[in-house]
């Protein structure tokens, strides 16, 4: 508890110094006070350099870009206490889903929990690496959108990712198995001159909510899946050739079929702190957001739809994209040709679309069924449990990329009009062949 208190005080002082850097001489790196202080341990001096280097560059470029990126940066620079500001950063992103800089906000929001590395042991470095990778999922989108338009955004990506890259190197050098403390030197309070009384440790930062635990029986689950197919089959007659998948054909109900599957990977434990005495505080009721289906600029927004079986998007254009967020037990048909489709935080959703010229992305979702009527070059599945992809004869060359997902199946049409189901591998084996790493699918019988 005392160590955590000292750390918070140290970070508060560091942020104050960083803010001073950001307001002096246009925030050009190296303007801050990074000279060695008497009594400072080497790892403290290196951490100060990290703040005065990539962190200062990130703040400066964010200010130059302006708009939501600058506002978001002001929130993240407060950091006192840490967990409250992490929550502010994540809430800012959720409140600005219509922002033109949403990918910037998402990159920061998804990776900012890395600041909780101080409470991760014995491997805080890999935890920061995972947060770094989460940021890259969105920074790659920023690069794709702005690399030929505005180099300032490319510089912003490099500056932001450099923070986590250098933090990983710093942890590896000084705190490999957990936060190290100088037991014989002065405390952070003595170095910073802070004379305030002891304060409680910050609460843990909010992470993505865990997937809901199913309490239904196998029969209930089978009925639920069948009902979802029935919704997709309504009206248009576009899925008349679908073949019902019985329980003995489902990989998650018949382990013998999962020869190429493996356990779901889990990341490091999230940033946690001791629970305060006196019992848990009841959580406030979550406000239910209103359903949305509208065209906003070039983006179709389909959000918070629940138990709706006939959602349709017509009159699409090649330059438009579709973003489907927090939709549950519903079906959506997108007619015509569209640039890209993203499913985020959806559950028991059926999606049917004609043609996509870019990519279909499925993120943080559960029990998703997607049917391609025309063509699509790439389908990406990330952090999703239960995903069935029905390809058309014209989309058999589709590239399917998956990560941190389970129970994925691709269904291929046959000459008779039925579909054959093939599981996507979830577990791999990697060996060093003397020159490079060679990765193959692990086949586990039974």
């Amino acid at each position: 508890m005392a160590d955590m208190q000292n750390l918070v005080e140290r970070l508060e002082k560091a942020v104050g110094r960083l803010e001073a850097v950001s307001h002096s001489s246009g925030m050009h790196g190296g303007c801050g006070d990074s000279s060695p202080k008497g009594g400072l341990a080497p790892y403290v001096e290196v951490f100060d350099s990290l703040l005065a280097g990539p962190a200062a560059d990130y703040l400066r470029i964010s200010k130059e870009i302006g708009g939501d990126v600058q506002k978001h940066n002001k929130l993240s620079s407060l950091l006192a206490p840490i967990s409250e500001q992490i929550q502010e950063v994540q809430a800012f992103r959720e409140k600005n889903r219509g922002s033109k800089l949403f990918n910037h906000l998402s990159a920061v929001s998804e990776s900012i929990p890395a600041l909780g590395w101080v409470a991760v042991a014995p491997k805080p470095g890999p935890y920061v690496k995972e947060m770094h990778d989460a940021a890259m999922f969105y920074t790659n989108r920023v690069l794709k959108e702005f690399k030929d338009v505005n180099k300032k955004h490319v510089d912003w990506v490099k500056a932001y990712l450099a923070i986590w890259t250098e933090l990983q190197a710093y942890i590896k050098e000084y705190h490999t198995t957990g936060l190290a403390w100088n037991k014989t030197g002065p405390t952070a309070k003595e170095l910073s001159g802070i004379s305030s009384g002891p304060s409680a440790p910050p609460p843990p930062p909010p992470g993505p909510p865990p997937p809901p635990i199913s309490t239904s029986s196998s029969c209930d689950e089978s009925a639920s899946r069948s009902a979802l197919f029935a919704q997709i089959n309504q009206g248009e007659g576009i899925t008349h050739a679908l073949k019902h998948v019985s329980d003995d054909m489902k990989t998650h109900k018949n382990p013998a079929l999962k020869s190429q599957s493996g356990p779901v990977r889990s990341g490091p434990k999230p940033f946690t702190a001791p629970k305060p005495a006196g019992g848990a505080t009841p959580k406030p009721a979550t406000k239910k957001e209103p359903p949305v289906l509208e065209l906003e600029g070039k983006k179709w927004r389909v959000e918070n739809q629940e138990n709706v079986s006939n959602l349709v998007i017509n009159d699409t254009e090649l330059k438009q994209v579709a973003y489907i967020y927090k939709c549950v037990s519903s079906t959506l048909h997108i007619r015509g040709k569209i640039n890209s489709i993203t499913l985020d935080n959806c559950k028991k959703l059926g999606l049917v679309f004609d043609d996509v010229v870019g990519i279909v992305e499925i993120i943080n979702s559960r029990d998703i069924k997607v049917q391609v009527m025309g063509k699509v070059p790439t389908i990406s599945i990330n952090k999703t449990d239960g995903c069935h992809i029905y390809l058309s004869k014209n989309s058999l060359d589709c590239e399917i990329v998956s990560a941190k997902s389970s129970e994925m199946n691709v269904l291929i049409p046959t000459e008779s009009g039925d579909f054959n189901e093939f599981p996507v591998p979830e577990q791999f084996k990697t060996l060093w062949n003397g020159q490079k790493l060679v990765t193959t699918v692990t086949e586990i019988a039974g």
Side-chain angles (χ1 to χ4, degrees), residues 38-51:
L40 283 182
Y43 54 77
V44 177
E45 296 179 12
V46 175
F47 186 74
D48 285 348
S49 298
L50 188 155
L51 290 176

Side-chain angles (χ1 to χ4, degrees), residues 13-209:
K13 181 173 181 288
V15 169
R17 294 168 59 190
L18 184 57
E19 287 179 329
V21 171
S22 68
H23 288 89
S24 63
S25 302
M27 289 191 65
H28 293 290
C31 296
D33 178 14
S34 58
S35 60
K37 304 286 191 301
L40 283 182
Y43 54 77
V44 177
E45 296 179 12
V46 175
F47 186 74
D48 285 348
S49 298
L50 188 155
L51 290 176
D57 289 341
Y58 160 69
L59 291 171
R60 172 176 56 81
I61 300 173
S62 294
K63 184 177 180 181
E64 293 174 0
I65 290 177
D68 287 334
V69 169
Q70 182 181 12
K71 295 177 184 176
H72 185 281
N73 172 64
K74 289 179 180 179
L75 289 172
S76 62
S77 67
L78 297 178
L79 290 175
I82 300 173
S83 60
E84 291 182 6
Q85 299 312 313
I86 290 177
Q87 186 174 6
E88 289 285 347
V89 169
Q90 294 175 330
F92 185 86
R93 176 231 194 182
E94 295 302 317
K95 294 175 183 177
N96 291 275
R97 288 192 164 271
S99 172
K100 294 180 180 179
L101 301 173
F102 180 69
N103 286 327
H104 297 67
L105 305 188
S106 297
V108 179
S109 174
E110 290 293 319
S111 56
I112 201 67
L115 295 177
W117 72 270
V118 293
V120 176
K123 296 182 179 181
Y127 173 69
V128 175
K129 176 63 166 59
E130 183 173 341
M131 297 299 102
H132 174 274
D133 292 344
M136 288 187 64
F137 182 83
Y138 290 98
T139 55
N140 286 340
R141 294 184 179 184
V142 175
L143 295 176
K144 183 177 180 181
E145 181 179 358
F146 290 99
K147 66 179 180 180
D148 298 324
V149 178
N150 189 337
K151 186 178 180 297
K152 186 66 65 179
H153 295 264
V154 178
D155 294 339
W156 181 89
V157 167
K158 292 178 180 178
Y160 184 68
L161 293 181
I163 296 175
W164 304 132
T165 301
E166 295 205 16
L167 180 58
Q168 291 172 57
Y170 167 75
I171 292 172
K172 184 177 181 181
E173 179 70 21
Y174 297 104
H175 310 280
T176 307
T177 58
L179 193 63
W181 296 93
N182 183 4
K183 297 180 180 180
T184 61
T187 65
K189 179 183 294 186
E190 292 169 342
L191 290 172
S192 61
I194 297 175
S195 59
S196 58
S199 58

Side-chain angles (χ1 to χ4, degrees), residues 289-335:
E289 299 294 334
V292 175
L293 199 167
E294 64 182 10
L295 178 61
E296 186 179 82
K298 297 178 182 179
K299 178 191 290 186
W300 284 99
R301 293 175 55 207
V302 185
E303 302 177 5
N304 308 308
Q305 299 286 346
E306 189 169 348
N307 298 316
V308 184
S309 60
N310 57 351
L311 295 169
V312 179
I313 293 179
N314 289 308
D315 303 322
T316 56
E317 297 179 8
L318 187 58
K319 62 183 179 180
Q320 294 174 347
V321 301
Y323 181 72
I324 306 159
Y325 177 69
K326 280 192 176 180
C327 293
V328 179
S329 300
S330 300
T331 59
L332 170 65
H333 184 190
I334 301 178
R335 294 193 174 101

Side-chain angles (χ1 to χ4, degrees), residues 389-393 395-397 400 409-415 417-422:
I389 307 294
Y390 290 79
L391 298 178
S392 66
K393 292 183 179 179
S395 62
L396 296 180
D397 58 348
I400 298 175
N409 293 276
V410 178
L411 292 98
I412 306 298
T414 64
E415 292 297 330
D418 294 330
F419 285 83
N420 289 332
E421 182 180 22
F422 297 91

